[in-house]
Amino acid sequence: PRIAESPATDEARSDQPVMSKGNEIVLLVEDDDGVRGLSRRVLAKCGYTVLVARDGAEAVRIASQQERVDLLITD
C-alpha cells in the first residue's frame, strides 16, 4: 500500500533492542565447543573480556590466575 510518510530510518526506530556494552571480565565455562565458541564471540562483541574453560577444573585454574572475575557463566 502507498503511504504518505517516509519509512523510519534505523537510527530513528526506538523498538530495536540496544546491545549492552560491557567492560567486565566474564569466565565462561561450557563443555560444548559450538556453544562455547558462539557464546565467547557474542560476549566479546559486546565488549566483555571473555575467559573460556571446558570444565570446572579448568575454570578454577583460570580463575585462580586472575586478579578478578566479574561474572561466571556456566551450565
Side-chain angles (χ1 to χ4, degrees), residues 20-49:
S20 298
K21 293 290 182 188
N23 60 3
E24 291 83 10
I25 299 172
V26 176
L27 176 53
L28 172 65
V29 187
E30 174 58 57
D31 58 347
D32 184 287
D33 292 339
V35 173
R36 188 176 55 252
L38 175 63
S39 300
R40 183 198 56 77
R41 287 190 301 276
V42 169
L43 289 166
K45 188 174 182 179
C46 290
Y48 297 99
T49 299

Side-chain angles (χ1 to χ4, degrees), residues 23-30 36 39-40 43-44 48-66 68-75:
N23 60 3
E24 291 83 10
I25 299 172
V26 176
L27 176 53
L28 172 65
V29 187
E30 174 58 57
R36 188 176 55 252
S39 300
R40 183 198 56 77
L43 289 166
Y48 297 99
T49 299
V50 184
L51 309 171
V52 294
R54 294 176 189 266
D55 57 34
E58 187 176 7
V60 169
R61 188 175 70 252
I62 290 170
S64 69
Q65 297 170 352
Q66 299 298 312
R68 76 177 215 267
V69 172
D70 299 304
L71 177 67
L72 170 67
I73 299 176
T74 187
D75 60 347

Side-chain angles (χ1 to χ4, degrees), residues 5-20:
E5 301 173 14
S6 63
T9 63
D10 285 343
E11 294 92 27
R13 294 187 63 182
S14 63
D15 60 342
Q16 290 184 339
V18 176
M19 293 294 289
S20 298

